[in-house]
């Protein structure tokens, strides 16, 4: 599976189904959501075995495929990304890889532009030697 879309386009169907997904289940697969990229659309499915919710959005799909991922964790990752970024979802060795790049155009801001995209500086440098090692809001763990 491989697709690229804005953070908001991917976030919407995940938010639509996350209400049925519980963090702690007796069957761990029930805390997952199914991502299915087929025929020009991304479908996100969540279930608790009584109710199943499916939300779909039309996207440009580079490679078709399916994968299940922990629903709440995936939602938290998407929410943590800055607004307006493009997100690439791809599967590699039965894992979902989430890559983020700044949206093209005005969103990147002035400065270093390569191929129409602005590369972001990492928020933290590892290993953390002090709280000053992180830029932004001073969050050492962010």
């Amino acid at each position: 599976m491989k697709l690229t879309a804005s953070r908001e386009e991917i976030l919407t169907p995940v938010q639509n189904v996350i209400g049925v997904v519980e963090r702690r289940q007796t069957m761990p697969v029930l805390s997952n959501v199914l991502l299915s990229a087929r025929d020009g659309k991304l479908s996100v499915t969540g279930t608790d075995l009584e109710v199943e919710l499916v939300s779909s959005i039309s996207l440009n799909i580079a490679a078709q495929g399916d994968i299940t991922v922990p629903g709440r964790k995936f939602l938290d990752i998407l929410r943590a990304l800055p607004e307006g970024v493009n997100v690439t979802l791809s599967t590699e060795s039965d894992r979902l890889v989430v890559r983020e790049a700044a949206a093209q155009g005005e969103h990147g801001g002035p400065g270093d532009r390569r191929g129409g995209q602005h590369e972001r500086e990492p928020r933290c440098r590892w290993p953390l030697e002090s709280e000053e090692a992180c830029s932004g809001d001073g969050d050492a763990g962010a």
Side-chain angles (χ1 to χ4, degrees):
M1 173 177 87
K2 185 170 184 176
L3 63 95
T4 300
S6 73
R7 166 195 174 258
E8 290 73 21
E9 288 176 312
I10 298 171
L11 187 59
T12 300
V14 175
Q15 288 176 321
N16 290 342
V17 303
I18 204 66
V20 77
V21 176
E22 296 290 332
R23 279 189 193 261
R24 292 184 176 86
Q25 287 282 343
T26 54
M27 294 175 26
V29 74
L30 294 179
S31 65
N32 288 3
V33 293
L34 171 65
L35 304 177
S36 181
R38 302 206 176 282
D39 303 322
K41 70 179 182 177
L42 173 67
S43 296
V44 181
T45 305
T47 185
D48 66 1
L49 292 182
E50 290 182 22
V51 176
E52 176 179 282
L53 297 177
V54 181
S55 184
S56 299
I57 187 162
S58 295
L59 296 174
N60 190 7
I61 307 295
Q64 297 188 47
D66 305 300
I67 191 166
T68 62
V69 295
R72 298 282 176 177
K73 170 86 64 188
F74 186 53
L75 179 65
D76 291 343
I77 290 169
L78 290 173
R79 283 182 174 163
L81 294 171
E83 289 184 29
V85 297
N86 287 330
V87 178
T88 299
L89 302 180
S90 61
T91 52
E92 296 175 8
S93 305
D94 295 331
R95 292 179 184 250
L96 180 69
V97 177
V98 179
R99 290 191 176 94
E100 172 259 319
Q104 296 185 21
E106 308 92 46
H107 301 290
D112 245 333
R113 288 183 186 242
R114 295 174 186 93
Q117 300 230 343
H118 179 74
E119 293 183 9
R120 296 181 184 273
E121 282 295 315
R123 185 173 219 192
C124 295
R125 303 228 182 253
W126 300 97
L128 291 176
E129 296 169 7
S130 67
E131 285 196 23
E132 289 83 36
C134 288
S135 62
D137 57 9
D139 236 85

